[in-house]
Amino acid sequence: MQEKTDKPVVYYNGACPVCSFEINRYQELQEGETGIGWCDIAQDPAALASLPVSREEALKRLQVMDVHGRLLSGVDAFLLIWRQFPQLR
């Protein structure tokens, strides 16, 4: 488990067209601060040091570090993101 944070952080592969499309969609839905931090690990590879997964795993699957320091991926990661947007609840 990682350190606790004040908001969840989404780690995504901005070099992936599908990932970029999805994340851009969420960012367009933002009305001010959503309480989510966004980290494009393709642009900021040093951010991988804060993840307890391999580079390959981080690049192929969306990862979200929740406020308790737990790393979520797959459906669990998307559920956490969707809860931040009233439009997607």
Side-chain angles (χ1 to χ4, degrees):
M1 186 165 351
Q2 301 292 311
E3 290 184 30
K4 293 181 179 184
T5 61
D6 60 339
K7 62 184 173 182
V9 177
V10 176
Y11 296 89
Y12 66 97
N13 181 357
C16 167
V18 174
C19 301
S20 292
F21 178 82
E22 188 77 12
I23 296 301
N24 287 337
R25 181 172 166 253
Y26 298 138
Q27 291 173 334
E28 288 171 2
L29 289 173
Q30 288 183 359
E31 296 176 11
E33 180 61 42
T34 63
I36 295 178
W38 305 98
C39 183
D40 179 352
I41 57 176
Q43 294 292 321
D44 183 10
L48 291 169
S50 63
L51 298 177
V53 295
S54 70
R55 179 180 187 281
E56 293 75 27
E57 182 65 22
L59 289 171
K60 74 178 181 179
R61 281 189 90 179
L62 178 83
Q63 310 287 327
V64 177
M65 188 70 66
D66 74 8
V67 296
H68 303 291
R70 293 181 296 235
L71 188 66
L72 307 172
S73 63
V75 172
D76 293 329
F78 281 105
L79 288 173
L80 188 146
I81 293 169
W82 296 338
R83 282 189 215 111
Q84 304 300 312
F85 296 96
Q87 313 91 307
L88 300 176
R89 290 186 189 156

